[in-house]
Every structure is written in C-alpha cells, then in structure tokens.
Amino acid sequence: MASWPCREYLTGWGGGAVAGTEEQEQEQEHERELRQAELAEQVALLADRAGADSAASLIRRTARRAESPRARICVIGGSNVGKSRLVNELVGAACVPVSVHPTGGPPVLVRPYTAGSGGPAGSGHATGPGETPAPGDPEPAGLRTVRVEVPSGSWAARTGVELVDTPGWEGWSGVRQPDTAALARIVGDCDVVVVATEARRAMLATEQARIKALAAAPHSPPLAVVVTKPAEVEDEAPDILRRVSHLVSVLAPEALVLTGPVPAPGAGEPDGIDPLRAVLGHLAGIRLRRALRTFRRLHLLAATCALVDEAAGRALADVHRPDPVRTRAAQIWHTAHESARFHWIVLSADAGDWRATLVQTIAAEARGRRAATARELAARFSAMLETPEEQHFIRLHAIPYTAEALQHFEAWITEAVDRALEEDVRRLRAALLRNRPGEELFQGLAAPGAGRVVPAAALPPVAEEAAAAESRNATGWDASWLPEFVGTAIESVLTPMSAEVVGQIAGAAGTALVTEALEHGQAERRERVIDDLERIVEAAFTEQVARTEARIGQVYDRLLGQAQERDEQWWRLHTTAVAAQPESLDHWRSLRSTARTLSRAVHAHLSPLEGA
Ligand SMILES: Nc1nc2c(ncn2[C@@H]2O[C@H](COP(=O)(O)OP(=O)(O)OP(=O)(O)O)[C@@H](O)[C@H]2O)c(=O)[nH]1
Ligand SMILES: [Mg+2]
C-alpha cells in the first residue's frame, strides 16, 4: 500500500518543523490566509460601525469557507468503518494509520504535494505519528496535518484536493447524542463530505440521523455516502446498495451513494477506486472554483469598503446643507427609495423570464442529445442482433452509454448555466445601478434664497466615483455581485447522474420489455427493442432536465434574494448618510479614512490574483 513516502509534520508557528521550500511555501500560504481572515474581520467591523449589518454578516459567513485555495474532502462516519483506509486509497499512499482499534486524537488533514513543487522528499521530516500539536499551534479548527508526496499525474495532484480523516464520530461528543456543533464546524470547512458506512451493517439509526442532519444544514457542502468493505458481503452487495440508496434518497435527496473500493490482491490499486475518485473530484470542483471563492471574497471586501467610502462621501456632502434643505433632501431620498423598491417587483418578473429562457435552452439541448443517443444505441443494437451480447444489451451497453451521454450533457449544462448566470447577474446589477441616485437627485433642491444648495466645488466627487466604478465594473466581472453561495450552488445543480441511477430509471420494466421483444420475429423484435431504448434514453434525459430545472430555480431565487438584500443594504446605509447630522462629521470622516486604508489592503491581495 505504501507506494510513496509519507511525511508527517505539524504546521504552525511554534512547531519549528520547517525545512525546504515546500514548507516555506505552505507557511507563506498559511500566513496569507491568516492575513486575509484578519482583513475580512476588519472590514466586517468597519461595516458594523457604518451600520451596514448585512454586509458585515455576509463577510463573516464567507470567511470560513475561503480559508484555503484547495478543495477539501472530509471523511466522517462510525468507528472502524474504514474511513482511514478509504483516505489512503483515494490518495494512493499510506498516510493515516488503519487499525481495528478505535483511533483517537484530532482529525487529520492529509495534504498531498508533488515532488516538483517542493523540497526533496524526506527533508523536513519532523514528527512521527502520535505527537501532539505544538502549544499555540493555530492549525485550522484543531486539525493535525500530514503531508504526502504524490506523483504529479495522480488524482490528488490533478484535482488539488486535500482530505480530512476523522476519528469515529461516536467519540466526538463523549455522550450518546450527536455532537452537532463539532459536525457543523468540520463540515462547514469542507467542500465535500463523505459519510462512510460499512456494508455489513450499513445505515444504522445513528448514521441515518446524522446524514439527515447534515443534509438539512444550511450551506452544507455536497454529500456522498460511500458503502465500505463491499467485498465482505459478497452477493448481498447489490441488495445492500439498493437499500442504502433508498434510505439516502429519503434522508438526503441530493446526496450520492457510491460503492467503496475493493482491495486488490498484491500491491495494486484497489478495484473501483477510479470511479470513486472521479465522482469525488467532480464534487470537490476544480481548484479554480476554490480560488474563485477567495477571489469573490476579496471582491466582497473591496465592495464593502467602497460602499462605506461612498456613503461617507454622501454624508460629508450632506452635512453642509442648511437645515430645512436637509429635511427636504431626506424626503426626496425616501421617495427615490420607495420607487426603487417598486422596481424590484419588475426586476423579479424579468428574472423569472431569464430563468425560463435558460431552462428552455437546456430542454432544447436535451432533445437533440436524447435523439442522438437513441439513434446511436439503435445502430449498435442492430449490429449486435443474434450475438450473445444481444440478451444483455440494455445492461451492458444502453445503460452505460446513456450514463456517459448524460455526463457529457452535464458538462454542457455547467457551461450554459455559468454563462447564463454571468450574463443575468450583469443585467441585474446594471438595472440596480440605474436605480441608484447620485447627487443629481438633489440638483433641483434650492436653499431658501441661496441658489443651488451646495456649491459644486464643495461636493465630494461621489457621482464621479460612482460613474467610474460603474465603468470599471461594466468591463470586468464584478464577482462581489455574485453572492458567494452561487458558486457552490452551481456545483450542486450538477449532481452527476451515475450509471446506477440510469439503471434504476431504465428499471426492471425496460429489461422485461426487451426480453419479451426478443421472443418475437427478427424485424419486429428489433423495432420493439429500439422503442424501448428510446424510452429509456428519454426517461433518463427527462429526469436530468427536471433535476436541473428545480435546482436552477433555487439558484435564481437565492440570487435574487441576495441581490435584493445587497441593494437594501446600499439604500439603508445611504439613507443614514443622507440624514447625517453635523455632529457626526468626525464619525463619517473616520469611516471614510478606515474604508480607504482597508480598501488599499484588499487590493494588495487582489492584484496578484488578478494579474495571474
Ligand atoms: N476486508 C476489508 N477490510 C477493510 C476495508 N476497509 C477497512 N478495512 C479494515 O477495517 C478496519 C478499520 O479500518 P480503518 O480504516 O482504520 O477504520 P476507521 O473508520 O478509520 O476507524 P477509526 O479511525 O477507528 O474510526 C481495519 O482493520 C481495516 O483493515 C475493506 O474494504 N475491506
Ligand atoms: Mg481511522
């Protein structure tokens, strides 16, 4: 099993276990993460002070998930179900101990690295298993890190994932009831959660309860249930898998059910490890998505600084207005706010149309692909008449081929949804920006006998800045406008349909029909089988489109909900600014100066990413 050397060391500050460029790089990365987390908290505090409460809470909510640019897969489950072994098999190296005795200690973070990207293997070897983290070790969420060298072409290297192996969850709370807080913390930091359940006693009541709780948690990442030690149950495996699938479909309808690998004799890779890697890698999303999340978060910070800066600018302009004029300005402002609220009704209807268009596009594509798949299968079947494979055509050819066709379709959907969302977010934001008044709103406002209220020269360049910001954003993709969760929601739109699901859809009925068809005359039987193939393919594509449609609905609902919240935030903050009293001048000045300082810091993090 131990095909590659596995190094273990403790990351952190007090550990002193740093040697070789790989460690330095990792420490730098860690430091960067810490600085970003600190910066995020400072911006959240600024938003608190300015009264931008929803911006503050959004920043805090996204803070944890942006911790690392790697995709993290966490394996949880009961003791002795084979979690550690699964982690080793996925990575392709013995990184965590496998034993019949329950493992204690903190969860272990397995970080694969490739030889080219770091110091020579073996250097920097610092600590052995069983050592406890150094005191004051700021390792994220109490994880112990194990680093393992993997070949550059390996799954772990290609996907850029890291894995978390946890001790049996019975030990998490010390008491019988599930420690939901610990579960939530570990799960919240991961991109994919794998629940391992042992085939022989799969889906115990405690497992069911936890799976249900996990699926119900807000913002929970994609979930996969892996049935381990399948070889132990031999012939019963298909029945067990069916039962698990059924239970999971009730408890966590969006979770996937997968079979664990079967150890191969000798030192070879275990059977079934590759499909498992493929699906988990897909769920974890490419590294890009993760990097995108960091990127989105920094944009969110930049946008919040700009929001406060801009509102402060407005307040500083407005306090110069004489009293009765200020009251009048506030009235005008409220009217504008009311009309912006009304505009939201129109916008929601528009967004409903955008969503319908996307769903129609996907359905049209599905029709084309469905026909092509059925045609191809019919041709293959015709070529196989009277051969021994004919009997099993559905199982051996039709189902895998349809599953593959769905996979291709899914890749197409990802792109289509990404494109459509990008476009629609841009439209949404353009519509919102049009509704946001600047100083021109007050142009007609005259101070009694004093001509224009505010001498143009005294106005801070709020309107100009807003216009400049708009033109900057019109060209680039303003990620901060895409609510953080949309990225992950897109991933869950695309829960892959496994061959097994297609098999279920094809079902016993399809097979029976084919068997019956085979008993008829050659030509007739060919026709019947081809009809059945069409029906199977149609059912599979229809199911895929229905699932996608339901999830796209959720994505748009959330997008609109969040955009509206952001818009309201803008209005609330600016309303406060419009109503600012002269005494609050210093407060707004200090907000503006902090916002500008923080904004520079955020851009310092952002520019290397944007340049890359
Ligand atoms: N036959 C067989 N045994 C397995 C398989 N997977 C794990 N085991 C055995 O099951 C025992 C427990 O495996 P671990 O991977 O340590 O289980 P764990 O879930 O990490 O256990 P804890 O860390 O104690 O919670 C070991 O003796 C493994 O060799 C498998 O696929 N087939
Ligand atoms: Mg273990």
Side-chain angles (χ1 to χ4, degrees):
M1 188 64 226
S3 338
W4 297 293
C6 192
R7 268 192 297 163
E8 178 160 359
Y9 87 115
L10 302 167
T11 49
W13 315 103
V18 177
T21 51
E22 181 68 16
E23 279 81 3
Q24 278 158 11
E25 247 171 47
Q26 209 205 359
E27 193 156 301
Q28 277 165 10
E29 188 189 311
H30 192 166
E31 218 170 308
R32 206 166 33 240
E33 284 166 13
L34 278 183
R35 277 205 309 270
Q36 282 186 12
E38 218 168 87
L39 191 56
E41 184 49 34
Q42 282 173 359
V43 177
L45 282 173
L46 169 75
D48 279 339
R49 275 176 59 210
D53 47 344
S54 74
S57 75
L58 187 60
I59 290 171
R60 296 200 170 99
R61 216 162 49 222
T62 56
R64 258 193 338 191
R65 307 269 291 139
E67 202 173 60
S68 157
R70 298 172 211 236
R72 191 178 288 177
I73 300 175
C74 174
V75 183
I76 59 177
S79 191
N80 203 45
V81 297
K83 298 179 299 297
S84 304
R85 177 135 162 195
L86 182 63
V87 166
N88 289 344
E89 284 169 336
L90 284 169
V91 177
C95 344
V96 285
V98 171
S99 139
V100 284
H101 303 295
T103 324
V108 178
L109 174 64
V110 177
R111 280 207 158 155
Y113 70 95
T114 52
S117 70
S123 76
H125 184 108
T127 59
E131 286 191 36
T132 49
D137 185 352
E139 189 63 18
L143 301 174
R144 190 164 61 91
T145 304
V146 166
R147 299 179 15 84
V148 54
E149 184 178 345
V150 296
S152 57
S154 66
W155 171 75
R158 277 185 287 112
T159 52
V161 295
E162 56 188 21
L163 290 102
V164 179
D165 181 30
T166 56
W169 57 25
E170 298 85 350
W172 286 14
S173 53
V175 282
R176 278 268 169 74
Q177 80 228 27
D179 180 354
T180 37
L183 255 180
R185 201 175 50 245
I186 294 194
V187 167
D189 287 341
C190 291
D191 296 279
V192 177
V193 174
V194 171
V195 179
T197 178
E198 190 178 339
R200 203 157 5 98
R201 46 195 188 106
M203 302 297 278
L204 301 171
T206 47
E207 292 176 326
Q208 293 188 29
R210 283 181 158 116
I211 289 172
K212 191 169 176 194
L214 280 173
H219 310 297
S220 80
L223 194 64
V225 176
V226 173
V227 181
T228 55
K229 312 191 190 177
E232 306 270 279
V233 292
E234 295 175 356
D235 299 350
E236 289 170 53
D239 281 339
I240 291 173
L241 218 66
R242 247 193 301 281
R243 194 175 76 86
V244 174
S245 297
H246 172 70
L247 283 170
V248 170
S249 73
V250 176
L251 298 167
E254 304 203 340
L256 290 184
V257 176
L258 305 158
T259 318
V262 177
E269 291 252 288
D271 267 0
I273 192 71
D274 279 333
L276 197 60
R277 284 176 182 157
V279 173
L280 293 181
H282 177 98
L283 284 185
I286 39 176
R287 211 187 290 220
L288 194 66
R289 281 209 193 285
R290 189 80 195 189
L292 215 62
R293 191 176 301 145
T294 306
F295 195 63
R296 272 207 299 271
R297 179 214 204 179
L298 287 169
H299 270 280
L300 173 66
L301 298 184
T304 306
C305 292
L307 174 72
V308 175
D309 188 1
E310 199 194 324
R314 188 186 295 282
L316 293 174
D318 287 342
V319 288
H320 289 117
R321 293 192 171 113
D323 227 1
V325 176
R326 230 183 16 245
T327 313
R328 180 78 192 108
Q331 280 166 358
I332 293 177
W333 183 262
H334 282 296
T335 313
H337 190 180
E338 282 309 311
S339 94
R341 279 195 181 131
F342 173 75
H343 199 82
W344 260 105
I345 301 171
V346 182
L347 258 185
S348 306
D350 287 351
D353 292 344
W354 305 340
R355 168 164 111 193
T357 310
L358 174 58
V359 169
Q360 276 163 16
T361 312
I362 291 174
E365 179 74 17
R367 280 194 294 277
R369 285 172 183 257
R370 192 181 80 200
T373 308
R375 254 199 322 275
E376 170 66 22
L377 280 176
R380 289 190 188 187
F381 178 73
S382 303
M384 243 172 228
L385 280 173
E386 308 271 22
T387 67
E389 286 205 27
E390 183 191 344
Q391 290 283 345
H392 306 292
F393 187 79
I394 299 260
R395 190 164 53 82
L396 292 181
H397 296 270
I399 291 174
Y401 184 76
T402 309
E404 197 188 315
L406 286 180
Q407 258 166 34
H408 290 298
F409 183 33
E410 194 186 287
W412 181 88
I413 294 175
T414 315
E415 269 195 50
V417 172
D418 269 347
R419 254 200 325 271
L421 268 176
E422 187 169 334
E423 175 61 32
D424 290 346
V425 168
R426 193 169 290 154
R427 293 205 275 197
L428 190 58
R429 120 170 252 293
L432 291 179
L433 278 178
R434 274 199 304 276
N435 281 336
R436 291 183 174 178
E439 278 306 309
E440 77 288 347
L441 185 69
F442 307 118
Q443 294 287 293
L445 198 61
R452 290 277 293 276
V453 185
V454 187
L459 273 180
V462 173
E464 275 162 47
E465 271 176 24
E470 182 164 7
S471 71
R472 268 201 308 278
N473 291 330
T475 47
W477 163 236
D478 180 358
S480 69
W481 268 81
L482 186 67
E484 196 268 345
F485 58 78
V486 170
T488 44
I490 295 170
E491 284 158 29
S492 63
V493 165
L494 301 159
T495 305
M497 289 250 264
S498 60
E500 203 186 305
V501 177
V502 179
Q504 278 165 8
I505 294 167
T511 319
L513 284 170
V514 174
T515 317
E516 188 200 308
L518 291 174
E519 284 157 12
H520 290 74
Q522 176 87 313
E524 197 187 335
R525 139 181 138 200
R526 190 178 162 277
E527 288 310 307
R528 285 190 187 211
V529 174
I530 287 172
D531 278 355
D532 288 336
L533 287 173
E534 272 173 15
R535 227 167 294 153
I536 289 170
V537 172
E538 184 185 334
F541 273 89
T542 307
E543 166 82 13
Q544 172 86 320
V545 171
R547 286 180 184 215
T548 307
E549 182 175 348
R551 293 193 177 126
I552 285 176
Q554 290 168 6
V555 171
Y556 272 84
D557 285 349
R558 290 193 201 168
L559 174 64
L560 276 181
Q562 289 267 318
Q564 190 161 8
E565 194 184 312
R566 297 290 265 290
D567 194 43
E568 268 301 315
Q569 175 75 89
W570 185 92
W571 279 96
R572 273 203 304 276
L573 193 58
H574 280 256
T575 304
T576 322
V578 166
Q581 297 298 312
E583 313 77 270
S584 63
L585 211 63
D586 284 346
H587 169 67
W588 287 104
R589 269 207 199 99
S590 128
L591 281 181
R592 183 160 74 174
S593 118
T594 312
R596 290 187 175 170
T597 313
L598 288 175
S599 173
R600 273 193 296 275
V602 170
H603 282 102
H605 281 273
L606 207 48
S607 45
L609 291 177
E610 283 176 326

